C-alpha cells in the first residue's frame, strides 16, 4: 500500500509542516502513477542514475508549479541550524556538468530548467505544466536525460500543433 511518511529532525523540525515537502512527495506519486521511471538502472558501463534524478526533479517541479517559488523546503531547511532552503532551483544547472549520481542533486538539472521556463514571461506556469505533463507521461523504464529532453521537445511540438502555444513560445 503506497503511503507518504514525514519525519522529524533531531531538533524537532517536522517535515510534514513544510508545504514544499508535501507537494514534492505528492509529485512523486504523480510521476509514479503515470510513468514507469525507475530510480536506478544499469547499462554496459554500470549504474545509471538518470531515472532517480528525473523523478526528483519532477517532484520539485510539482512543488514549484503549486507554489511558484524555486526555493524548496525553507522550513525543513531550518533543521540543524541550516536556516535556508534545502534546494534553490533559481540557479541554472546543466547536464552533464551538474550530474553527481545523487538523485536530489541530479534532479536540480530538471528543476532549474523548468523554473527558468516558469519564470519566463513568455511561458509561465501553465505552459510549463503542460510541457512537463506531456513529457513525463511518456517516460518508460528506459528513460535517460537525453530522452527526457527529447520528450520535452516533443511535448512542445504537440502543444504548438494544437495551438496551445505559438511559434514564439515554441
Amino acid at each position: 500500500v503506497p503511503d507518504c511518511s514525514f519525519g522529524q529532525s533531531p531538533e524537532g523540525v517536522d517535515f510534514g509542516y513544510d508545504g514544499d515537502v508535501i507537494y514534492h512527495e505528492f509529485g512523486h506519486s504523480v510521476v509514479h502513477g503515470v510513468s514507469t521511471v525507475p530510480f536506478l538502472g544499469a547499462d554496459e558501463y554500470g549504474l545509471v542514475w538518470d531515472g532517480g534524478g528525473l523523478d526528483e526533479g519532477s517532484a520539485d517541479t510539482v512543488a514549484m508549479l503549486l507554489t511558484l517559488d524555486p526555493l524548496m523546503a525553507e522550513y525543513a531547511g531550518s533543521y540543524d541550524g541550516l536556516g535556508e532552503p534545502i534546494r534553490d532551483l533559481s540557479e541554472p544547472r546543466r547536464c552533464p556538468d551538474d550530474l553527481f549520481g545523487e538523485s536530489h542533486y541530479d534532479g536540480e538539472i530538471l528543476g532549474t530548467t523548468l523554473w527558468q521556463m516558469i519564470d519566463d514571461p513568455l511561458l509561465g506556469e501553465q505552459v510549463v505544466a503542460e510541457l512537463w505533463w506531456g513529457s513525463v507521461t511518456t517516460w518508460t523504464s528506459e528513460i535517460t536525460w537525453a530522452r527526457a529532453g527529447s520528450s520535452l521537445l516533443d511535448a512542445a511540438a504537440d502543444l504548438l500543433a494544437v495551438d496551445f502555444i505559438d511559434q514564439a513560445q515554441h
Side-chain angles (χ1 to χ4, degrees), residues 64-144:
M64 288 188 301
L65 287 167
L66 291 170
T67 64
L68 300 180
D69 180 9
L71 303 178
M72 292 290 113
E74 296 93 330
Y75 173 73
S78 68
Y79 80 93
D80 200 25
L82 290 177
E84 57 189 48
I86 291 174
R87 285 186 288 289
D88 179 353
L89 300 174
S90 66
E91 295 297 320
R93 291 171 185 84
R94 59 187 221 174
C95 188
D97 298 347
D98 294 305
L99 285 175
F100 299 102
E102 196 286 322
S103 61
H104 294 90
Y105 291 123
D106 292 355
E108 291 179 357
I109 295 168
L110 181 63
T112 61
T113 299
L114 294 177
W115 173 254
Q116 297 299 314
M117 295 167 70
I118 291 169
D119 199 39
D120 185 326
L122 189 61
L123 299 175
E125 71 271 12
Q126 291 296 349
V127 170
V128 173
E130 294 293 332
L131 283 171
W132 175 78
W133 184 254
S135 176
V136 75
T137 56
T138 68
W139 293 355
T140 69
S141 60
E142 304 298 320
I143 194 66
T144 63

Side-chain angles (χ1 to χ4, degrees), residues 26-38:
F26 173 72
H28 283 303
S29 70
V30 171
V31 171
H32 298 171
V34 300
S35 75
T36 56
V37 62

